[in-house]
Amino acid sequence: KKLSVEKLRKLLPYVPTDGELQMVRDYVKSGGNINDLSKVEQFFVKMMDMVGIRERVSLWIFKSEFPSILESVQRRITMVSQVMEALRESAKLRAVLYTVLVIGNYLNDGSSRGNAFGFLMEPTLDLLDGTKSSDKRSTLMVSVVETLERSNADSLTWVDDLEILERVYKIKTNGILNDLDAIKRDMSSIGKYLKTQRRTMTKMASDWAREGTAVSVAQIASHIRTLSKSGPQALFNGCETYAGLKVGMGLPSSVKPGFAKQLEVSSAEEETENVFGKVMIIFHKKQNSKVTEVENFFQKTQQECKKLATYFGFEEGKKWEEMLVVFYLFREQFQKAVREMQMRRQKEQRKQSQMEKKNMLEAKLANQPRKEEVMKTMHVDLDDKVNGKPTSEDANAKRASETSKASAMYAAFQKEKQGKAAHKKIFEV
């Protein structure tokens, strides 16, 4: 709890090697003064009683990161399995591919490629986007989309149902294999470490048993502390091997109290040292089965990949990322064709709207009266005006102007005055 993974990673480069620890042990054993050592060497002295400290730190880092590592591997495998099942079960995708087959048979009618019962995914899907119309303005993919819109518009939404392709097609088979191998390698290292510690402790206990009562109380207590560093199980096996199943057998009664006292003094230290071995034994036993489950899941997903390759007409031996990238690109091309079709429809709608407005304007202008009709309503004969022949209205006006010239001029003046006043009012408004 006190040492996080980040702290352990920073500590690992400074952990002494076995050779460095052995040099410090020899120095202390020969009676060297610890105070004469440098700070680094004094740090080594503090760690010299720890068995396999570098390996223990590395294994503890792995144990701390194991849940997230295994969860990442399992999540990626699950996503691949889900997208393969979605591809196989999608009725909308089958309708799209059936339409592609029908259009392909229509275009190849009369040739050796006509009346086909199926097609290979990769070359066919490449042709859909690469085949242009005669005017170079459209593609065969757009024609497929337009056909689907008329016959089965609901199938166009298959791209929404398979949105997961965007996240899954980049997941590599080798990436998951490498992660699984690394996990199994580290789990094997834990197993080897625990096995080595059990073998070492058993050998030491056997040597101890052969020596019998010649072993001093100090040696007994020191050996028990050493056993405790490898966990409770190793401690139990070692003590059982030595003691003939009875505590204190063969020991003089005079030394038993001292032995018990020394054990009480070191009990707190031994309890701390027991933690690593105990935790790693439980971890290895429990998590090793989970690694096996994930590995079996991975193998099952690979079998599903083979079935999917056969179902969609891919070549044998294709990895899932090689198949999924084909469907991902097909989905991208299909969405592009849908957008092109929608843009074309919008353009046609705008053009149709403009044409309707133009027709409405022409109809409105056609319903307006002509100039000749307006002049007739005003009793004006344009033909007579053009030919220079005076009309009856002109004659009446002439007679009126001759008899009442002054009044006509005054009426014109009043009319002009009223027009200017009206224009000024409109301008002000």
Side-chain angles (χ1 to χ4, degrees):
K1 293 181 180 179
K2 293 181 180 180
L3 289 177
S4 62
V5 175
E6 183 179 356
K7 290 181 180 179
L8 287 172
R9 287 191 179 279
K10 293 180 180 179
L11 175 64
L12 190 59
Y14 303 102
V15 174
T17 62
D18 293 339
E20 291 170 337
L21 290 176
Q22 188 60 45
M23 289 174 60
V24 173
R25 291 192 192 101
D26 294 342
Y27 176 80
V28 174
K29 186 177 181 180
S30 63
N33 188 359
I34 298 177
N35 295 327
D36 294 338
L37 299 175
S38 65
K39 290 184 177 180
V40 175
E41 292 167 336
Q42 290 180 14
F43 172 70
F44 291 172
V45 171
K46 294 288 186 181
M47 304 182 73
M48 69 179 183
D49 291 334
M50 299 182 181
V51 180
I53 180 63
R54 177 176 287 273
E55 186 177 10
R56 289 170 66 176
V57 171
S58 299
L59 294 179
W60 196 262
I61 291 174
F62 166 71
K63 175 196 170 297
S64 301
E65 294 180 338
F66 176 81
S68 60
I69 296 174
L70 189 66
E71 190 275 334
S72 174
V73 174
Q74 189 171 14
R75 176 174 50 83
R76 284 178 287 166
I77 299 175
T78 301
M79 291 174 65
V80 172
S81 179
Q82 288 176 347
V83 75
M84 288 195 296
E85 183 180 1
L87 287 170
R88 188 180 180 90
E89 300 298 329
S90 177
K92 297 177 183 178
L93 178 60
R94 286 199 298 270
V96 172
L97 297 179
Y98 175 75
T99 302
V100 172
L101 177 64
V102 171
I103 293 177
N105 284 334
Y106 175 79
L107 295 176
N108 295 320
D109 185 33
S111 67
S112 59
R113 296 182 178 181
N115 297 325
F117 293 97
F119 57 88
L120 295 176
M121 291 292 295
E122 290 182 88
T124 303
L125 297 182
D126 290 339
L127 286 173
L128 288 174
D129 192 58
T131 304
K132 303 290 184 179
S133 60
S134 58
D135 58 1
K136 306 297 181 181
R137 294 182 179 181
S138 182
T139 63
L140 186 57
M141 182 71 82
V142 176
S143 300
V144 171
V145 172
E146 291 176 343
T147 302
L148 286 168
E149 187 185 34
R150 293 191 298 269
S151 61
N152 188 359
D154 185 57
S155 62
L156 295 177
T157 60
W158 76 273
V159 294
D160 300 324
D161 299 340
L162 290 170
E163 185 268 340
I164 191 176
L165 275 169
E166 295 182 0
R167 303 188 302 274
V168 178
Y169 83 99
K170 292 183 179 180
I171 298 177
K172 306 297 183 183
T173 305
N174 290 339
I176 294 179
L177 272 175
N178 293 337
D179 290 343
L180 280 175
D181 289 341
I183 292 173
K184 291 191 294 182
R185 185 167 56 250
D186 290 333
M187 293 296 290
S188 178
S189 298
I190 294 176
K192 290 179 180 178
Y193 173 82
L194 297 174
K195 186 176 181 180
T196 301
Q197 292 302 310
R198 286 195 295 268
R199 188 184 302 116
T200 302
M201 294 301 104
T202 302
K203 183 178 182 301
M204 292 176 65
S206 300
D207 295 340
W208 180 25
R210 283 195 301 270
E211 294 175 4
T213 57
V215 180
S216 66
V217 174
Q219 288 174 319
I220 294 174
S222 176
H223 188 251
I224 290 177
R225 287 197 298 271
T226 304
L227 284 174
S228 66
K229 294 177 181 179
S230 298
Q233 189 64 36
L235 178 61
F236 173 78
N237 294 337
C239 291
E240 184 183 47
T241 303
Y242 167 69
L245 305 179
K246 289 184 179 181
V247 177
M249 174 185 287
L251 292 177
S253 59
S254 58
V255 301
K256 290 181 181 179
F259 177 71
K261 182 178 179 181
Q262 190 168 0
L263 285 179
E264 291 174 2
V265 172
S266 60
S267 60
E269 179 183 353
E270 292 172 1
E271 183 65 24
T272 302
E273 293 174 349
N274 284 342
V275 173
F276 182 81
K278 180 180 179 181
V279 170
M280 295 309 291
I281 289 174
I282 297 173
F283 169 79
H284 183 266
K285 183 177 181 180
K286 182 178 180 180
Q287 303 301 332
N288 203 32
S289 60
K290 291 186 178 180
V291 176
T292 303
E293 290 177 3
V294 174
E295 188 175 13
N296 292 337
F297 184 30
F298 174 74
Q299 294 173 356
K300 180 181 177 182
T301 305
Q302 286 187 311
Q303 294 298 324
E304 293 176 358
C305 177
K306 293 180 181 180
K307 294 179 182 179
L308 188 72
T310 304
Y311 183 79
F312 282 108
F314 284 96
E315 297 178 1
E316 186 177 357
K318 285 281 187 181
K319 296 180 179 179
W320 66 54
E321 61 265 28
E322 295 174 335
M323 291 188 297
L324 295 183
V325 73
V326 173
F327 287 105
Y328 169 77
L329 293 176
F330 176 54
R331 181 176 178 272
E332 292 292 308
Q333 295 170 2
F334 194 89
Q335 288 179 312
K336 178 183 175 183
V338 171
R339 289 193 296 268
E340 289 181 4
M341 182 191 69
Q342 292 174 347
M343 291 175 62
R344 183 185 300 177
R345 292 285 173 82
Q346 292 174 359
K347 186 177 180 179
E348 292 176 354
Q349 290 176 358
R350 288 195 298 269
K351 187 176 180 181
Q352 182 66 25
S353 178
Q354 293 174 357
M355 184 64 67
E356 291 176 357
K357 290 181 179 179
K358 182 179 179 181
N359 294 336
M360 290 176 61
L361 181 60
E362 290 178 352
K364 185 176 181 180
L365 292 175
N367 294 330
Q368 289 183 352
R370 297 182 179 181
K371 185 176 180 181
E372 293 82 357
E373 296 177 354
V374 174
M375 297 302 291
K376 286 182 179 179
T377 58
M378 297 175 64
H379 305 290
V380 176
D381 191 346
L382 293 179
D383 294 336
D384 291 344
K385 281 281 187 181
V386 173
N387 296 330
K389 296 180 180 179
T391 61
S392 58
E393 289 81 358
D394 293 337
N396 294 333
K398 187 176 181 180
R399 285 193 296 271
S401 62
E402 289 177 352
T403 56
S404 183
K405 199 170 187 179
S407 60
M409 292 177 63
Y410 179 76
F413 171 76
Q414 290 293 332
K415 185 177 181 180
E416 182 180 0
K417 185 177 179 181
Q418 292 176 359
K420 289 181 178 181
H423 179 73
K424 182 178 179 181
K425 187 175 181 181
I426 293 172
F427 180 79
E428 288 174 352
V429 172

